[in-house]
Amino acid sequence: MAATQVTEVAPRRRRIPPVVWLIAPSVLFMAALMGWPTISGLIQAFKTGDGFGFDNFARMAADPFFWPAVRNTLLLIVILIPVQFALALGMALLLRAKPKLSGLYFYIWAIPLAVSDLAAGLVWLSIFTDHGYLNSFLSHLGIDGVNWLSYDSNTSMFFAVFIAELWRATSLVLVIVVAGMQGIPKDYDEAAQVFGASYWQRLRHVTLPLLRPSLQVALILRTILAFQTFAVAQALTGRDFPVLVGETYNWYVALRNPSVASALALVILAISMITAIVYLRALRDPSDKGGKR
């Protein structure tokens, strides 16, 4: 009887998929720069002398600057962002029409992107201060100057911060909208034009729906960044026009209380995340609401 030879095959070692190696650096980078600081902030925000609780949040809410900071930040977002989107959309449509020197216009409008927040605040401080360029211009016209940055006039301070933020941050929305428009095929607009659609009808029923993904990205990004408004308001008004991030800075640096500063940072993080989720649901493409096919 011939002996039966049984050959044992050694189990093959499972190879790590290449995609894991590709995303591993990003995951480690995000964990180191965002994961650990977030966990550390959470612990610090809820940590009290007796253990864990909401004492830091209660102290934050009882601060006299907290609710004015919430009001000013929300006012800036509610009023500023629609104006920025209207301006950016108008400028993008003008660039799409390709007038003379349209490339030069784009680069000039994009200049604020290269200017830091603090530098932008200092530039506008030289304009709005009592002896600044704006009051000098008004005096040449025979008009009395205005104390734009007076601590007892919240309206004029809001106006100054609004104009400075409008100049500084509209270029970001413009770049995103222009990039979105370049991805829209001209065939759709030309076909609508052949069927007799007016300019406004083409804008409403062709351009804006196709621009929805870009507008969604710009809206989320701009709103989150608006919650982080700080340097411009700080350079123009100091603490006379409090904003949420400015209060976080004051609690951490001036008042040396990192626990309350962490509580404020968590509030800003929570509001930003909730806003992003609302935007994603509200601006979702109707064709995707049916789920998977």
Side-chain angles (χ1 to χ4, degrees):
M1 182 177 176
T4 305
Q5 294 183 347
V6 178
T7 305
E8 293 185 0
V9 178
R12 295 180 60 185
R13 293 180 60 187
R14 293 187 62 185
R15 295 182 58 186
I16 300 175
V19 66
V20 175
W21 290 110
L22 289 172
I23 66 171
S26 300
V27 171
L28 291 175
F29 182 78
M30 295 289 286
L33 291 186
M34 295 189 65
W36 171 244
T38 303
I39 294 171
S40 178
L42 274 168
I43 294 172
Q44 198 152 33
F46 288 100
K47 191 174 182 181
T48 63
D50 303 328
F52 291 91
F54 293 92
D55 294 357
N56 295 319
F57 291 90
R59 191 171 177 186
M60 171 195 73
D63 183 68
F65 287 94
F66 175 70
W67 292 109
V70 173
R71 179 199 62 201
N72 293 337
T73 304
L74 292 180
L75 267 179
L76 275 176
I77 291 171
V78 170
I79 298 176
L80 180 64
I81 289 181
V83 177
Q84 282 184 327
F85 270 74
L87 273 178
L89 191 59
M91 290 190 291
L93 290 171
L94 182 62
L95 290 174
R96 194 175 69 161
K98 296 189 182 304
K100 273 188 176 180
L101 303 175
S102 59
L104 179 64
Y105 295 155
F106 177 75
Y107 285 114
I108 291 176
W109 289 338
I111 283 176
L113 274 179
V115 181
S116 72
D117 294 2
L118 184 58
L122 294 175
V123 167
W124 283 95
L125 179 64
S126 68
I127 294 173
F128 283 114
T129 193
D130 291 350
H131 301 288
Y133 295 111
L134 182 55
N135 278 346
S136 299
F137 176 72
L138 291 176
S139 68
H140 281 299
L141 298 177
I143 301 173
D144 291 336
V146 178
N147 193 357
W148 300 101
L149 304 178
S150 173
Y151 70 93
D152 58 355
S153 176
N154 202 56
T155 304
S156 63
M157 284 192 295
F158 176 81
F159 176 77
V161 175
F162 172 83
I163 295 295
E165 277 289 304
L166 185 66
W167 176 82
R168 185 190 66 80
T170 301
S171 53
L172 174 65
V173 183
L174 171 67
V175 170
I176 296 174
V177 172
V178 167
M181 279 190 177
Q182 287 178 344
I184 299 176
K186 293 181 180 177
D187 301 352
Y188 297 135
D189 190 71
E190 291 171 356
Q193 201 168 359
V194 168
F195 283 102
S198 67
Y199 177 81
W200 294 110
Q201 287 173 327
R202 283 182 278 132
L203 176 64
R204 180 182 175 188
H205 298 291
V206 177
T207 304
L208 288 181
L210 292 174
L211 203 56
R212 182 197 299 265
S214 300
L215 292 176
Q216 189 180 47
V217 171
L219 190 58
I220 293 173
L221 193 60
R222 185 64 199 102
T223 305
I224 291 174
L225 292 177
F227 276 114
Q228 301 171 9
T229 300
F230 168 55
V232 169
Q234 184 74 16
L236 285 173
T237 64
R239 211 181 182 189
D240 294 333
F241 186 82
V243 291
L244 280 174
V245 174
E247 287 308 295
T248 308
Y249 171 82
N250 276 306
W251 274 104
Y252 192 86
V253 175
L255 303 176
R256 298 181 182 279
N257 192 327
S259 298
V260 179
S262 299
L264 259 166
L266 278 183
V267 169
I268 297 170
L269 175 66
I271 296 175
S272 299
M273 290 181 68
I274 292 170
T275 306
I277 292 170
V278 170
Y279 281 158
L280 286 172
R281 293 188 65 83
L283 298 177
R284 188 169 51 182
D285 190 346
S287 60
D288 293 338
K289 291 183 178 178
K292 295 181 180 178
R293 292 178 181 177

